[in-house]
Amino acid sequence: ALTNVTIGDGIGAARGIVIANSGNTIRTGFAIVEGNEVENVLGEEGGAIQIFSTDGTSNRFIDAMAIVRNNTIINCNRRAIKVQGDHVFISGNKHFNTLTDAQTLNSAALIDVINSGDVHIENNVLDAILFTGIQVISSVTNVNKVLIVGNTIVANNNNSATPGWPPRSDQRCI
């Protein structure tokens, strides 16, 4: 996958940190991911931090009760933070990217919130060159109770007029 650019035949999901909750388990306190440095997480699903909470019966995610704050993420080739669960607070994280276009062919949003609600995203600094900065999507329910405030999204100090700018058609958040 990383060397032959064929999606689906490679090393698959790679995560730096995963907080997972599934089945009938009920979380009674917040999971906290704080003060970590995650570097060079590469794979078809190369993600630095994933919060995942499901009842195992549908695509709708349930109470994750997680705090992800003050982490430094350097070079992930898919997502910096992937959220699949409700009640998540994401704050003060920093993402830096030195990967090339060829290394990020399967890039997604750096902070990607999927089928989840009651998510607060604030004061993160994201180097979004070759990525979408922040995305909140849902295919199973209306997105609600999402606050995105005070984030800084940059692209390695580049913009579309910069000589040598990567010729990707899906550049966003610049």
Side-chain angles (χ1 to χ4, degrees), residues 143-173:
V143 173
N144 60 45
K145 297 182 185 175
V146 174
L147 177 64
I148 301 171
V149 63
N151 298 284
T152 302
I153 301 172
V154 299
N156 247 349
N157 297 317
N158 290 314
N159 61 44
S160 59
T162 303
W165 179 255
R168 300 240 328 224
S169 61
D170 62 349
Q171 287 298 127
R172 291 164 275 193
C173 297

Side-chain angles (χ1 to χ4, degrees), residues 83-115:
V83 175
Q84 295 169 292
D86 296 338
H87 302 102
V88 178
F89 180 80
I90 302 166
S91 178
N93 300 286
K94 295 179 181 175
H95 168 265
F96 302 96
N97 179 48
T98 62
L99 298 175
T100 66
D101 190 44
Q103 293 173 302
T104 58
L105 291 175
N106 201 30
S107 65
L110 290 170
I111 298 178
D112 204 355
V113 179
I114 303 167
N115 295 343

Side-chain angles (χ1 to χ4, degrees), residues 12 29 32 42-43 46 50 55 72 77 91 101 114 126 130 142 162 166:
I32 300 174
L42 308 175
Q50 180 182 13
D55 63 7
T72 300
N77 68 338
S91 178
D101 190 44
I114 303 167
L126 306 173
L130 306 176
N142 292 332
T162 303

Side-chain angles (χ1 to χ4, degrees), residues 36-127:
N36 300 286
E37 183 172 303
V38 182
E39 186 171 356
N40 293 327
V41 181
L42 308 175
E44 286 179 7
E45 279 282 327
I49 300 170
Q50 180 182 13
I51 305 297
F52 178 79
S53 187
T54 179
D55 63 7
T57 62
S58 70
N59 287 330
R60 176 72 177 113
F61 298 106
I62 59 172
D63 239 346
M65 295 179 63
I67 298 170
V68 180
R69 67 180 171 214
N70 300 327
N71 297 287
T72 300
I73 299 163
I74 304 166
N75 293 336
C76 57
N77 68 338
R78 180 89 168 135
R79 296 177 181 94
I81 301 169
K82 181 179 184 180
V83 175
Q84 295 169 292
D86 296 338
H87 302 102
V88 178
F89 180 80
I90 302 166
S91 178
N93 300 286
K94 295 179 181 175
H95 168 265
F96 302 96
N97 179 48
T98 62
L99 298 175
T100 66
D101 190 44
Q103 293 173 302
T104 58
L105 291 175
N106 201 30
S107 65
L110 290 170
I111 298 178
D112 204 355
V113 179
I114 303 167
N115 295 343
S116 305
D118 199 9
V119 178
H120 186 115
I121 304 168
E122 72 173 23
N123 300 326
N124 299 284
V125 178
L126 306 173
D127 180 354

